[in-house]
Amino acid sequence: MKTKKTLYFILMYLPLAAALLALQYLPDKIPAHYGFDHQVTRWGSKYEALLYPIATVLIGYFLLAMAKVAAKQEEHGENNKNVVIVTGILVLILFNALNGYFLYTGFNKVENLSSVPLDINQLIFGIVGVLMIIAGNIMPKVRMNSIVGLRTRWSMKNEITWKKCQRAGGISFIVGGIIMIGVCITMKGTSCLLSVLGIWVILIIIDVFFTYRIAKTNG
């Protein structure tokens, strides 16, 4: 757990350290917002590059608070706390990647994201796909709580139902993550975004249905 927490805090503060270091090299005006057409819609001060890293730190502490809440809902051990910490590490990896991407666009004053070799949707959802595969592998370890895991009114019926639902949810996360990575390899832009949203909708419907069926099967 100590190693995980060390990695957690490194990932939480790394974007801020990178942005502070980059400030002296960034142009005074950088792209501050892009539209759905990937064109710059607003230019802002280079100091706006600090907003995203600060948000990352705040989200990091929020997830740590959730880890403590999850731990209190577990009678023995810190399994749930450990799962939330690992989930937080995965989230922070995504935020670190995005921070690096937008520092790159700021340095180069990119006016059209389509000119960047790596499409922003491919970056985000490709990483999310990998994170879903990892999350799917740790879901069966989650004990019943109100913070993390596949939680519906049916999955929280009892411990047996909960465990079976987490195993089913873990499998769907892994399969969904693999499909998402495939989409990100073959598609980009709006097509990638819409395809990923479609995958998520299907996964939600399947997971909710599974929790209902498992609860009914287990009385």
Side-chain angles (χ1 to χ4, degrees):
M1 177 64 80
K2 185 177 181 180
T3 301
K4 291 187 180 70
K5 279 194 173 182
T6 299
L7 176 60
Y8 188 98
F9 280 102
I10 289 174
L11 291 171
M12 189 167 71
Y13 282 101
L14 186 57
L16 183 59
L20 288 171
L21 181 63
L23 278 180
Q24 57 185 321
Y25 303 107
L26 284 170
D28 291 333
K29 295 293 182 181
I30 61 173
H33 186 269
Y34 292 93
F36 285 108
D37 59 356
H38 288 184
Q39 301 289 333
V40 174
T41 57
R42 184 176 71 83
W43 293 83
S45 166
K46 65 179 181 180
Y47 292 100
E48 290 191 39
L50 295 174
L51 296 178
Y52 196 84
I54 290 173
T56 302
V57 173
L58 294 176
I59 290 171
Y61 278 113
F62 171 77
L63 292 173
L64 285 176
M66 292 300 98
K68 290 182 179 180
V69 174
K72 290 180 179 179
Q73 295 180 2
E74 186 176 0
E75 292 185 7
H76 305 288
E78 295 186 335
N79 188 67
N80 286 352
K81 182 178 180 180
N82 185 57
V83 169
V84 177
I85 292 295
V86 172
T87 302
I89 288 173
L90 301 180
V91 171
L92 291 172
I93 288 173
L94 174 60
F95 275 72
N96 272 261
L98 289 175
N99 185 65
Y101 186 91
F102 288 118
L103 284 179
Y104 171 85
T105 61
F107 274 123
N108 294 279
K109 304 183 74 170
V110 176
E111 297 185 24
N112 182 356
L113 287 180
S114 298
S115 64
V116 179
L118 180 60
D119 180 76
I120 183 64
N121 291 298
Q122 289 178 311
L123 173 66
I124 294 174
F125 299 121
I127 294 176
V128 169
V130 174
L131 302 187
M132 285 178 63
I133 293 173
I134 297 173
N137 278 281
I138 64 177
M139 276 182 67
K141 300 177 182 178
V142 179
R143 295 174 183 171
M144 190 181 293
N145 70 96
S146 62
I147 304 297
V148 292
L150 178 54
R151 295 175 294 107
T152 67
R153 57 180 292 189
W154 299 292
S155 68
M156 301 187 73
K157 185 176 181 180
N158 55 54
E159 285 289 347
I160 294 176
T161 300
W162 172 267
K163 290 179 180 179
K164 290 184 177 181
C165 287
Q166 301 318 303
R167 285 197 292 268
I171 293 172
S172 72
F173 259 58
I174 292 171
V175 173
I178 293 172
I179 295 174
M180 195 176 297
I181 292 172
V183 167
C184 292
I185 292 174
T186 57
M187 300 180 186
K188 61 171 57 177
T190 304
S191 297
C192 179
L193 172 62
L194 294 178
S195 296
V196 167
L197 291 178
I199 292 171
W200 277 341
V201 170
I202 294 172
L203 286 178
I204 290 172
I205 294 173
I206 291 175
D207 285 346
V208 171
F209 175 75
F210 271 147
T211 62
Y212 170 77
R213 290 299 302 168
I214 291 171
K216 289 294 183 182
T217 302
N218 289 272

